[in-house]
Amino acid sequence: MTETEAIRERHSVRNYKPERIAEEAADKIRAMIDEINRESGLHLQLIDDAGKTYNKLLNRTAGLDSAPSVIACVGNESDGDLDEKVGYYGEKLVLYAQTLGLNTCWAGIFSRKKIPVNIAPGEKLVISIAIGYGENQGQQHKSKPVDQVSQATGDRPEWFDKGVEMALLAPTAMNQQKFEICLNADETVKFTDKGGFFSKVDLGIVRYHFEVGSGKKCG
């Protein structure tokens, strides 16, 4: 499965089977996390037993049924781009998990006191990603029209439109899609968030999707 196929097939899953992630798949996730952490300077962690991370009260609030495992998205709190970086590299990991037959859900509402995560001095826990085997494959969300989230100075090349197409399939908080992608005259691309809950994380996710679709690095 390619990343483009993973983007098309992956949807947020909120109901999980209790079974643990298969050892081979978990090892592959850990290896990808190690690679990402070396490249990005983040401190992403796969926690096999999510414990009380998604407790019953929060499940009712967030609509998330307890997942067997969790990815804790941790990084240096002095990094001004931390939230966007977490979104970018976290989505890379999410799509990789999809190719392994796993399901995921970005979860901003969770028990921060009960998640069994290692946070070093100077680090910050930004967000969590529920991961496991879903009871279903989720549902595709509705997307805004292309002209509401993108604009171009001059012609719109095919690579730009392909990038926007993939960006519109990106998961965002409350499915609000509060972002804008602008193509400048020199063919550089600018990503702007319009504020809101976890909007910087969303922007990183959107940028990763755009890069996969367009085939161009934009940061």
Side-chain angles (χ1 to χ4, degrees):
M1 182 187 296
T2 66
E3 281 193 303
T4 299
E5 291 169 336
I7 286 174
R8 294 189 184 281
E9 293 187 17
R10 187 265 170 195
H11 309 297
S12 294
V13 170
R14 298 181 179 276
N15 300 303
Y16 290 85
K17 299 175 183 178
E19 64 190 84
R20 294 170 65 91
I21 298 173
E23 184 176 350
E24 182 180 0
D27 286 344
K28 289 180 178 179
I29 290 290
R30 290 191 191 93
M32 177 59 80
I33 285 175
D34 288 344
E35 179 183 319
I36 285 173
N37 286 344
R38 285 193 297 270
E39 179 180 337
S40 66
L42 294 172
H43 188 192
L44 305 185
Q45 302 164 50
L46 172 65
I47 302 168
D48 291 310
D49 183 356
K52 301 289 187 181
T53 299
Y54 306 111
N55 63 40
K56 291 182 179 179
L57 175 60
L58 290 176
N59 288 351
R60 290 197 294 272
T61 302
L64 175 66
D65 196 6
S66 185
S69 300
V70 59
I71 296 166
C73 299
V74 177
N76 192 323
E77 60 185 348
S78 65
D79 185 344
D81 296 323
L82 177 59
D83 284 13
E84 186 172 345
K85 188 181 291 185
V86 160
Y88 183 89
Y89 285 100
E91 187 65 4
K92 179 177 182 177
L93 186 58
V94 159
L95 295 178
Y96 181 65
Q98 185 72 28
T99 70
L100 299 177
L102 294 164
N103 302 106
T104 53
C105 180
W106 284 91
I109 299 176
F110 59 99
S111 179
R112 290 177 177 266
K113 291 183 179 180
K114 294 182 179 179
I115 182 171
V117 59
N118 177 22
I119 303 176
E123 289 187 336
K124 172 186 175 181
L125 172 61
V126 177
I127 197 170
S128 74
I129 302 171
I131 183 168
Y133 299 104
E135 293 282 1
N136 53 59
Q137 295 301 308
Q139 296 181 339
Q140 184 171 349
H141 62 249
K142 293 182 179 179
S143 292
K144 291 181 178 180
V146 168
D147 59 3
Q148 282 191 21
V149 300
S150 68
Q151 58 177 292
T153 302
D155 295 333
R156 297 174 64 103
E158 184 179 5
W159 63 264
F160 180 72
D161 284 336
K162 286 183 176 179
V164 173
E165 178 190 358
M166 290 295 103
L168 282 168
L169 296 178
T172 58
M174 308 298 291
N175 192 31
Q176 294 182 91
Q177 297 186 312
K178 288 188 172 182
F179 63 85
E180 185 175 62
I181 306 172
C182 298
L183 178 65
N184 300 317
D186 61 359
E187 294 204 338
T188 57
V189 180
K190 181 181 179 181
F191 298 84
T192 306
D193 79 272
K194 297 184 176 181
F197 192 55
F198 287 106
S199 63
K200 293 293 185 183
V201 174
D202 289 348
L203 201 65
I205 297 172
V206 165
R207 182 161 67 89
Y208 192 80
H209 274 230
F210 181 89
E211 290 184 0
V212 171
S214 68
K216 293 181 178 288
K217 292 288 288 184
C218 301

